Amino acid sequence: MAGTAETRTFAYQSIARAVLDHGIDTMFGLMGDANLFMVDDYVRNGGGAFIPAAHEGSSVLMALAWAHVTGRVGVATVTHGPGLTNCVTALTEGARGHIPLVLLCGDTPVSAPQHLQNIDQREVVKLTGAGFEQMRTPKTASRDVANAFYRARLERRPIVLNMPADFMWQEVTHEKVVYPVFGSPAHVPEGDDLDEAIGMIASARRPVVLAGGGAVEARHALLRLADRLEAPLATTLKAKGLFNGHPYNMDIFGTLSTPDAYDVIAKADCIIAFGASLHYFTTDKGALMKGKRVVQVNMDATQIGKNFHPDAALIADAGLTADNFVWWLDEAEIAPSGFTRELDPATLAAHPPARKPAARTPTAPINYVDALDRLEAVLPKTRILTTDGGRFMTEVWCRISAPDPRSFIVTANFGSIGLGLQEAIGAGIAAPDRPVVHFSGDGGFMMGGINEFNTAVRHQQDLIIIVCNDSAYGAEHIQFMDRKMDPGLTQFNWPSFADIATSLGGTGVRVETEAQLDAALAAIETRDGPLLIELVLDPNDVPRMRS
């Protein structure tokens, strides 16, 4: 802990300075009567940047994306009552995504229990899975902020710091307080569990190395292990892009695998999973693990056996354990498996095309999968890729590449739609020198995109938005169609999203034909500020969600 006494000040100033003491120069939020003076001091006297959102939940989502891209603790602020309840879905998304964030949340005055906006904010936060930290007194403001930051980093989830409004104008003595988190990985397993895992790996003839979101910092160690074993590599959705450039990278493991990768996984006799919880999408509800030995390595003991029970498990750091495996394989002079010699690198990560290019004519309606393949060819390679949830996204995850896991954000931790554009904006604030590409469905964009599009315009972000518009809630539409029922209630006569984008200060391009798609692709090259491409699709001619 570091502590430095300063001149007397007010509690709201101490809170603002405490955030700056933690090296956070960007705060997202919406001002209200419980946090407005803190935000003002943070900007005017502290030199911090405040990014105002149109909705409280949006500010939390923006901060979550900022944290994901930067690798630091995100910070957002809202006022009390409805200001907090508007954040419930976003906080749940962050908690389930294990993203460190501090939400500076105002509370109604302690002295006014009948305040119109008074609720039990601790109970609201509890149901989201986020943590709750109560500001104890005005005098402890800087220490309470430090506690919130410490917990966010240690627990890897959002922490809500509850700040009563009547504390703000009380005089305090600010003290710089920063609690270090001792997070250097040093856990190398020993004993019977290690022996069992190494035995399974050494005897495998067709091993596969799988990395999840908890192993993204261990790329080089996992590559060494895979090369030593002559094993192909794959990732979960959250680690997409981790093994880009390796000849035996199969990309996403599970229900989103390419046909060739799925066949390779079916042939495998051992899956060595690092930093993955082995969700049922990853294992295809257990089908991909049948007849195989599974070794699971994870620093979080609660992820071991959470979704699938492995044959051997180690609660350990991914990189150190991979290096340890290589050492023991060398020590025992275990020969490589030779599995990669059976494989064709050219087809491992290739999804089949929608149709032959010769089928295109200028007036033909666009095909969704073909449009994605053409977008992949022209979208900026240095992009950050973000997606909303919904029917359209599985094909995006498969066909649109991301440079690395930190450059890929999928807002699917809570299964909600309408969260993606907000996170795209937060990612753009985190990396203003890089373009952000965002994919959304029409329902998700109506729910959470339109109200924040102008935020991107105000900040003149380099943001390319592709809205997949089938004028329906697609997943529900499919269920009605499968049962030969009328899907009319799932269909909507939305306004033109391209026109809305233009009216809000961006550029909108509506695409219904191949010729219009050509124009939209050209607009990507000449964009100046936020660009929205509206793909008008037939709800009966869109690939099904892969599940």
Side-chain angles (χ1 to χ4, degrees):
M1 181 190 78
T4 305
E6 297 181 2
T7 58
R8 292 181 66 81
T9 185
F10 295 110
Y12 74 83
Q13 295 173 312
S14 183
I15 296 166
R17 293 178 193 179
V19 174
L20 294 164
D21 289 343
H22 284 80
I24 304 300
D25 57 5
T26 303
M27 181 188 298
F28 302 85
L30 200 61
M31 288 196 297
D33 56 4
N35 66 348
L36 74 168
F37 300 113
M38 180 273 293
V39 171
D40 183 77
D41 188 75
Y42 176 80
V43 174
R44 294 184 189 278
N45 297 321
F50 178 66
I51 311 299
H55 185 273
E56 289 90 352
S58 298
S59 67
V60 173
L61 293 165
M62 291 174 191
L64 291 175
W66 187 94
H68 177 90
V69 172
T70 63
R72 299 157 67 193
V73 178
V75 175
T77 183
V78 298
T79 194
H80 40 57
L84 175 61
T85 58
N86 280 343
C87 297
V88 166
T89 298
L91 286 171
T92 307
E93 174 74 13
R96 295 193 179 187
H98 308 289
I99 301 173
L101 176 137
V102 171
L103 177 60
L104 302 169
C105 181
D107 197 0
T108 52
V110 176
S111 58
Q114 302 305 316
H115 191 287
L116 181 64
Q117 294 184 334
N118 182 41
I119 55 171
D120 190 336
Q121 300 200 157
R122 182 187 296 270
E123 291 301 312
V124 172
V125 172
K126 185 189 299 184
L127 63 88
T128 69
F132 186 88
E133 185 77 20
Q134 178 65 48
M135 183 174 290
R136 295 163 291 171
T137 69
K139 293 180 180 179
T140 61
S142 60
R143 292 182 179 272
D144 295 330
V145 171
N147 279 333
F149 271 90
Y150 176 80
R151 290 184 58 194
R153 292 166 60 200
L154 184 69
E155 299 171 24
R156 298 203 62 77
R157 62 171 176 161
I159 303 296
V160 177
L161 179 62
N162 204 57
M163 313 179 302
D166 49 356
F167 284 8
M168 295 299 139
W169 282 91
Q170 295 194 34
E171 282 195 350
V172 301
T173 299
H174 178 74
E175 183 181 7
K176 180 178 180 179
V177 182
V178 177
Y179 297 122
V181 175
F182 303 99
S184 299
H187 189 190
V188 180
E190 298 178 348
D192 293 342
D193 290 341
L194 176 62
D195 293 342
E196 189 172 6
I198 291 175
M200 293 179 185
I201 294 168
S203 62
R205 300 277 61 87
R206 286 174 171 157
V208 171
V209 173
L210 169 64
V216 296
E217 305 300 330
R219 180 180 189 271
H220 297 298
L222 298 183
L223 289 175
R224 280 193 296 271
L225 175 62
D227 290 343
R228 174 64 177 80
L229 290 170
E230 294 185 355
L233 297 132
T235 73
T236 64
L237 178 62
K238 288 188 176 181
K240 177 180 170 67
L242 183 63
F243 299 129
N244 284 351
H246 192 278
Y248 295 104
N249 171 33
M250 298 191 294
D251 202 31
I252 302 173
F253 185 110
T255 57
L256 300 178
S257 293
T258 67
D260 276 18
Y262 201 95
D263 289 343
V264 169
I265 296 165
K267 295 175 183 176
D269 60 4
C270 182
I271 307 296
I272 314 164
F274 294 87
S277 65
L278 300 179
H279 190 272
Y280 69 91
F281 285 135
T282 301
T283 66
D284 196 0
K285 301 176 182 176
L288 286 175
M289 302 302 181
K290 288 182 179 178
K292 302 172 179 60
R293 289 179 166 179
V294 178
V295 177
Q296 188 177 10
V297 180
N298 204 304
M299 279 290 285
D300 185 349
T302 65
Q303 301 301 308
I304 301 290
K306 177 181 179 181
N307 300 302
F308 180 88
H309 286 279
D311 298 286
L314 300 172
I315 302 169
D317 175 74
L320 294 176
T321 303
D323 286 339
N324 200 24
F325 285 162
V326 171
W327 189 90
W328 281 110
L329 291 168
D330 290 344
E331 184 75 5
E333 298 182 350
I334 302 298
S337 71
F339 190 20
T340 53
R341 299 172 210 168
E342 305 174 23
L343 310 179
D344 180 2
T347 62
L348 280 178
H351 289 272
R355 63 189 184 204
K356 295 180 181 179
R360 300 190 192 106
T361 61
T363 57
I366 58 170
N367 174 278
Y368 178 54
V369 171
D370 184 55
L372 291 181
D373 290 341
R374 296 185 66 193
L375 283 162
E376 168 65 11
V378 302
L379 287 169
K381 301 305 179 188
T382 59
R383 61 182 170 260
I384 297 174
L385 174 64
T386 70
T387 78
D388 205 69
R391 174 189 185 184
F392 296 102
M393 295 306 109
T394 53
E395 290 297 331
V396 173
W397 300 333
C398 292
R399 296 177 182 276
I400 304 297
S401 61
D404 55 73
R406 284 210 184 276
S407 302
F408 176 58
I409 301 174
V410 50
T411 56
N413 292 300
F414 191 29
S416 175
I417 65 172
L419 310 184
L421 180 62
Q422 303 91 314
E423 295 221 8
I425 292 170
I429 296 294
D433 57 334
R434 297 179 62 191
V436 178
V437 175
H438 175 66
F439 283 84
S440 175
D442 48 336
F445 193 75
M446 279 295 294
M447 185 181 296
I450 288 178
N451 62 342
E452 295 298 348
F453 184 84
N454 183 253
T455 303
V457 172
R458 282 188 284 111
H459 290 278
Q460 276 299 291
Q461 290 190 296
D462 189 3
L463 177 60
I464 303 166
I465 303 166
I466 295 93
V467 177
C468 308
N469 180 14
D470 64 354
S471 297
Y473 277 91
E476 292 73 19
H477 183 93
I478 291 171
Q479 292 190 54
F480 278 110
M481 295 295 290
D482 284 347
R483 295 182 183 274
K484 296 180 171 55
M485 297 171 64
D486 182 358
L489 291 176
T490 70
Q491 297 171 337
F492 291 81
N493 184 22
W494 303 123
S496 167
F497 296 113
D499 289 348
I500 290 173
T502 301
S503 69
L504 289 173
T507 301
V509 180
R510 186 174 171 90
V511 176
E512 298 183 65
T513 66
E514 288 288 344
Q516 290 172 337
L517 179 58
D518 291 338
L521 298 179
I524 292 173
E525 298 296 326
T526 60
R527 68 191 185 278
D528 181 17
L531 167 67
L532 185 146
I533 298 173
E534 180 182 2
L535 300 180
V536 180
L537 303 168
D538 180 348
N540 298 311
D541 187 30
V542 177
R544 293 172 175 270
M545 293 181 67
R546 305 191 195 186
S547 60

